[in-house]
Amino acid sequence: MDNIIPLFGSKQASENVIIDKLNKEPVSPDCAYRLVKDQLIDEGNARQNMATFCQTYMEPEATKLMAETFEKNAIDKSEYPSTAEVEQACVNIIADLWNAPDKEKMIGTSTVGSSEACMLGGMAMKFKWRDEAVKRGVDLTKQRPNLVISSGYQVCWEKFCVYWDIDLRTVPMDEEHMSLDAEKVMDYVDEYTIGIVGILGITYTGKYDDIQALDKKVEAFNKETGRELGIHVDAASGGMFAPFVTPELEWDFRLKNVVSINTSGHKYGLVYPGIGWIIWKDRKDLPEKMVFNVSYLGGEMPTMAINFSRSASQIIGQYYNFYRFGFDGYKEIHKRTRKVAMKVSEAIEQTDLFDIYNNGDNIPIICYKLKEDADVNWNLYDLADRLQMRGWQVPAYPLPEDLDNIIIQRFVCRGDFAMNSANALIKDIHAAIKELNAANVSMHANEGKHTQGFTH
Ligand SMILES: *Cc1c(COP(=O)(O)O)cnc(C)c1O
C-alpha cells in the first residue's frame, strides 16, 4: 500500500479481510496488522470471560520475555540447552509442590496443556496394566480395558478412551457430592481396569474429588488382590492452586497410590494458554517404551511428550512466574482470588434465588442453579444474556449424565479478577435480576436444556 493513502481509504479496507484463497499481491505490514486486529474486535473481552479457566493476564515483562523467545524450539535440547534446563527446573519445582518423595525417581515433562498430559498419563497406565495383566494370565481378547472416572470428567478423557479403544467407565455423581463417589468407585473396577482418575477441580462444578478417600479404597483393593492399581490425578485446575492455599490437603504424591499428576500451567499456573505438565512419582510407572531420546549436549536426553516442535516461550513464561512470584506470590494471588470468588458467591446467595454448589473456597469457581421454588419467569440462559450485555461472558449448561436435568451457571475467577471487577460484576448481576424480574418476556422460556457458552 502506498503510504500516502490513508489505511481506511485503501483497497484492502474496502474488501473482506477473511479470505478463502491467498491474494495474489502482498499487503503492507501496518495494513495487515490493523485489519487483522480489527477483524477480532467484536469478540468478547478476555478479562470479562468468566467461562474460561485459562489465564487472561500476564505481566508486561513476562509478555516481553515470551515474545522474545517465540523462536526457540522446545524440542531442540542441544541447540537450546539453557531452555532445556529451565524446563527441568519447572518440573523440579512442580514435583516439590506436589510432594514427590524422591527427586531422583520422579520424572516429568511440559506439554501443550492438560489434554496432552492426560493422554500421556492414560497411556502409561494402559501399558503398565497390559504388562501386569499378561503376567496375571488375564485373557486380553475377552474384553476391552477400561478407565474409571467420575461422570464429571473433562472431554480429554473421552478422547483418550476413543483414541485408545478403552471403555470409559463413569461413576455417576450425586447432587450432594458433585464429585467422585468414593463409596461406589471400586464397584466399577475389574481385571481390565487400567487405573482410576481422580479430579482435583471438576470442570463442571469446581468440586474436588476426595483423593484421600479414593487412595484408601485403592490401597485396600491392592492389598486384597495383590494388584498395583494406580491413581492418576487430573489436577488441571487444582494442581497449581491447592499447594499454595490448602497445603494441608493431601491429594498428591503424599498418597501412596497416586502415581501421576497433571496440571495446566495456563490455568492457576498463571501462564497464557499453551502449557501443561505431567509428573510421575516414580519412573517405574512410566513404561520405558514411552520414553524417547533426543540429542543433548553431545549426549542424550529423555523426552516423553507427544508433540515434537513447539515454541519454548510458554515454558519460559511459566519459569518467569515461578521465579518472579515465589511461593508467597502465588499464595497471595490465589488467596485474593479466592476471597473475591467467595464474595461474589455470597452476593449471589443473598439474592435467595440460587442454590450454590461451589462457593469458591476450594478453587475460586462459583457454581449454582436457580432454586426450584424461585418465583421468577426467567432462567439462567436469560441471566447469561443480560450479563453478556455488560460484557460478562458466563456459561449456562446442564450437568453430566444422571444430573442432566439440572442447569447450572459457573463463574471462573482468575488471578486477574480483582475486587473492583468483582464489585462491578455483583452490581451487574443485581441489575440484571432486577431487569429480568421487571420484563415480561423470557427469551429462552421455550427452549430445552442446552449448553450456552464455553463450558470447558
Ligand atoms: C481444563 C481441563 C482439562 C484440559 O486441559 P487443557 O489444558 O485445556 O488441555 C482436563 N481436565 C480438567 C479437569 C480440566 O479442568
Side-chain angles (χ1 to χ4, degrees):
M1 184 178 66
D2 185 338
N3 270 346
I4 294 171
I5 301 177
L7 197 146
F8 287 107
S10 68
K11 172 173 164 284
Q12 285 79 16
S14 72
E15 289 170 351
N16 224 342
V17 174
I18 298 297
I19 53 177
D20 298 320
K21 185 172 164 305
L22 284 180
N23 290 330
K24 187 165 180 325
E25 303 289 336
V27 304
S28 71
D30 56 339
C31 169
Y33 173 83
R34 185 73 266 151
L35 294 182
V36 173
K37 178 119 178 165
D38 284 5
Q39 183 66 34
L40 309 172
I41 223 168
D42 61 349
E43 287 183 323
N45 160 11
R47 300 286 294 279
Q48 281 185 293
N49 178 356
M50 302 311 286
T52 185
F53 285 77
C54 287
Q55 186 64 12
T56 44
Y57 171 81
M58 287 185 83
E59 294 182 336
E61 291 80 0
T63 311
K64 179 167 184 279
L65 180 61
M66 289 169 76
E68 288 166 359
T69 51
F70 282 149
E71 80 286 8
K72 292 184 193 291
N73 188 347
I75 199 70
D76 287 343
K77 315 275 184 195
S78 237
E79 291 80 352
Y80 308 114
S82 302
T83 300
E85 212 176 345
V86 162
E87 179 180 10
Q88 188 56 46
C90 290
V91 168
N92 295 343
I93 289 168
I94 297 167
D96 179 59
L97 286 174
W98 294 345
N99 297 289
D102 189 339
K103 262 202 206 140
E104 302 302 313
K105 287 189 178 154
M106 75 79 188
I107 187 165
T109 182
S110 73
T111 57
V112 170
S114 280
S115 302
E116 184 189 358
C118 292
M119 199 68 62
L120 288 165
M123 283 194 288
M125 289 199 290
K126 178 172 187 266
F127 288 129
K128 189 164 175 251
W129 162 82
R130 197 173 60 188
D131 289 347
E132 274 173 32
V134 167
K135 277 192 206 129
R136 282 184 285 119
V138 173
D139 179 359
L140 296 185
T141 60
K142 211 175 111 211
Q143 80 182 61
R144 300 200 299 176
N146 62 72
L147 177 79
V148 175
I149 191 168
S150 98
S151 60
Y153 62 84
Q154 209 265 0
V155 67
C156 69
W157 291 106
E158 196 175 344
K159 289 187 184 179
F160 165 72
C161 288
V162 168
Y163 297 162
W164 290 92
D165 208 17
I166 290 168
D167 274 333
L168 183 66
R169 278 201 187 159
T170 55
V171 184
M173 300 194 290
D174 62 41
E175 200 180 347
E176 191 192 341
H177 297 98
M178 290 279 190
S179 57
L180 184 70
D181 187 336
E183 290 311 313
K184 300 214 179 95
V185 60
M186 299 316 285
D187 300 346
Y188 292 79
V189 171
D190 63 16
E191 287 278 24
Y192 295 84
T193 303
I194 64 170
I196 303 178
V197 174
I199 308 173
L200 201 75
I202 298 217
T203 321
Y204 288 89
T205 59
K207 290 277 185 198
Y208 284 172
D209 282 346
D210 185 346
I211 315 284
Q212 211 167 1
L214 174 62
D215 182 63
K216 284 204 182 95
K217 298 280 176 194
V218 169
E219 181 61 12
F221 173 86
N222 284 344
K223 275 225 170 85
E224 194 184 310
T225 59
R227 286 193 50 190
E228 281 184 42
L229 190 69
I231 299 167
H232 172 88
V233 183
D234 178 357
S237 54
M240 295 272 214
F241 197 86
F244 299 103
V245 178
T246 47
E248 67 290 348
L249 181 72
E250 292 195 11
W251 62 274
D252 53 16
F253 292 131
R254 282 168 284 185
L255 302 176
K256 184 173 166 197
N257 300 291
V258 170
V259 295
S260 47
I261 304 174
N262 70 271
T263 195
S264 298
H266 51 226
K267 292 186 179 174
Y268 290 101
L270 309 179
V271 184
Y272 284 137
I275 183 87
W277 301 94
I278 178 161
I279 293 180
W280 289 266
K281 176 158 63 176
D282 189 323
R283 56 185 71 207
K284 78 172 170 33
D285 287 307
L286 175 64
E288 269 304 312
K289 58 172 152 269
M290 281 176 61
V291 181
F292 301 85
N293 287 311
V294 291
S295 68
Y296 177 63
L297 295 181
E300 287 192 321
M301 189 169 190
T303 92
M304 57 227 79
I306 296 172
N307 290 292
F308 195 70
S309 298
R310 69 190 165 93
S311 172
S313 61
Q314 249 74 12
I315 298 171
I316 292 164
Q318 180 79 76
Y319 191 74
Y320 169 90
N321 281 356
F322 284 154
Y323 184 72
R324 148 94 175 107
F325 299 150
F327 188 90
D328 286 352
Y330 267 100
K331 187 170 148 187
E332 292 310 320
I333 292 172
H334 289 346
K335 275 174 65 181
R336 198 237 2 102
T337 310
R338 179 167 81 157
K339 193 166 144 196
V340 164
M342 288 174 75
K343 172 152 188 209
V344 174
S345 167
E346 222 178 272
I348 291 170
E349 194 164 18
Q350 277 166 5
T351 64
D352 222 17
L353 291 170
F354 308 98
D355 286 327
I356 309 279
Y357 288 124
N358 209 57
N359 72 350
D361 69 347
N362 53 345
I363 37 173
I365 289 163
I366 305 158
C367 166
Y368 56 88
K369 71 165 184 184
L370 200 54
K371 276 193 172 146
E372 253 142 58
D373 59 0
D375 185 21
V376 295
N377 289 320
W378 45 268
N379 57 35
L380 292 179
Y381 300 117
D382 291 310
L383 182 56
D385 277 358
R386 294 305 305 183
L387 290 173
Q388 187 147 30
M389 288 179 197
R390 291 178 169 84
W392 302 106
Q393 301 189 56
V394 180
Y397 51 93
L399 284 170
E401 55 179 303
D402 297 323
L403 292 175
D404 58 358
N405 56 329
I406 303 175
I407 310 294
I408 59 166
Q409 199 143 61
R410 186 197 63 196
F411 290 13
V412 180
C413 302
R414 293 182 304 274
D416 55 330
F417 185 64
M419 198 57 98
N420 62 327
S421 307
N423 287 333
L425 175 61
I426 291 170
K427 212 169 107 215
D428 289 342
I429 292 171
H430 286 147
I433 290 173
K434 205 167 150 208
E435 288 157 6
L436 286 168
N437 283 341
N440 47 28
V441 183
S442 159
M443 298 300 289
H444 301 277
N446 301 320
E447 289 169 6
K449 63 187 181 205
H450 63 283
T451 297
Q452 180 169 322
F454 173 96
T455 63
H456 37 281

